[in-house]
Structure formats: C-alpha cells, structure tokens
C-alpha cells in the first residue's frame, strides 16, 4: 500500500487535506475525521476512523502516481492532479504545452 508511505512522511499532507476540505469535497464523518487528522496527525485516529479516512478520503482523492509517467505525485501537487486527470506537475505542463502548440 503506497498510501501509508505517504502518510508517514507529511511533506504537505495536511495542506492537501485542508485543500480538500476548503474545496467542499467532504462532509459528515469523513470531514470530522479529516479535521482530526490535520489537527493531531493521522496516527491519532482510531482503527475505525482510520478505516473511514482511508476509504472515503485517501481512496477518493489520492492518486498512486501520475497517470502519464507513473512517478509519485507530491502532496503539494495532489489536489491539482485531481482536476487535471491525475498528472504530476511536469506532465501537466507538458500536456498544456502540446495543447497550445
Ligand atoms: Zn507525470
């Protein structure tokens, strides 16, 4: 599971979670659990909360890798990747460039 590697190493992970919240993508239990994860870290979640977090938040919003070059997408680029078809920043710029040529 690549997701767990991401969670261990924050590197913008909480900012990414905050972006999902700010975008209005979460509600109910998933929203509360995500706020808790930002506040206390995802390690503070109970087994039940973690299950919901992984299924409804990570499972929905996290890409395992760029859909073009398959490299890992950093947390700082993850939210944008949701919008551009799952591309890393590099591939997204490449595809934009091709479009405009
Ligand atoms: Zn890429």
């Amino acid at each position: 599971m690549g997701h767990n590697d991401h969670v261990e190493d924050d590197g913008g992970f909480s900012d990414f979670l905050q972006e999902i919240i700010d975008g209005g993508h979460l509600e109910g239990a998933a929203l509360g659990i995500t706020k808790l994860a930002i506040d206390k870290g995802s390690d503070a979640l109970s087994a039940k909360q973690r299950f919901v977090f992984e299924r409804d938040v990570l499972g929905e919003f996290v890409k395992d890798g760029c859909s073009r070059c398959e490299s890992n997408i950093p947390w700082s680029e993850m939210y944008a990747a949701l919008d551009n078809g799952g591309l890393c920043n590099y591939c997204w710029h490449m595809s934009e460039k091709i479009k405009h040529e």
Side-chain angles (χ1 to χ4, degrees):
M1 280 288 283
H3 290 158
N4 287 335
D5 304 339
H6 282 310
V7 173
E8 301 306 320
D9 159 24
D10 190 277
F13 182 54
S14 0
D15 291 339
F16 166 67
L17 295 177
Q18 190 61 52
E19 282 179 307
I20 303 177
I21 292 177
D22 292 345
H25 297 285
L26 296 176
E27 52 185 23
L31 176 59
I33 292 168
T34 302
K35 283 181 177 167
L36 187 68
I38 293 171
D39 223 30
K40 313 254 185 212
S42 54
D43 286 344
L45 303 180
S46 70
K48 234 180 178 173
Q49 290 171 325
R50 198 174 178 88
F51 175 80
V52 174
F53 184 62
E54 289 185 355
R55 185 194 59 188
D56 294 351
V57 183
L58 302 185
E60 289 290 321
F61 300 103
V62 174
K63 312 267 176 201
D64 271 334
C66 170
S67 57
R68 184 170 173 273
C69 71
E70 293 179 7
S71 65
N72 279 337
I73 299 178
W75 289 121
S76 57
E77 295 171 18
M78 192 67 79
Y79 191 73
L82 291 170
D83 242 11
N84 67 23
L87 297 173
C88 71
N89 204 329
Y90 175 78
C91 292
W92 181 72
H93 281 293
M94 292 302 285
S95 68
E96 287 296 293
K97 216 178 138 195
I98 291 164
K99 248 190 258 176
H100 293 130
E101 265 168 10

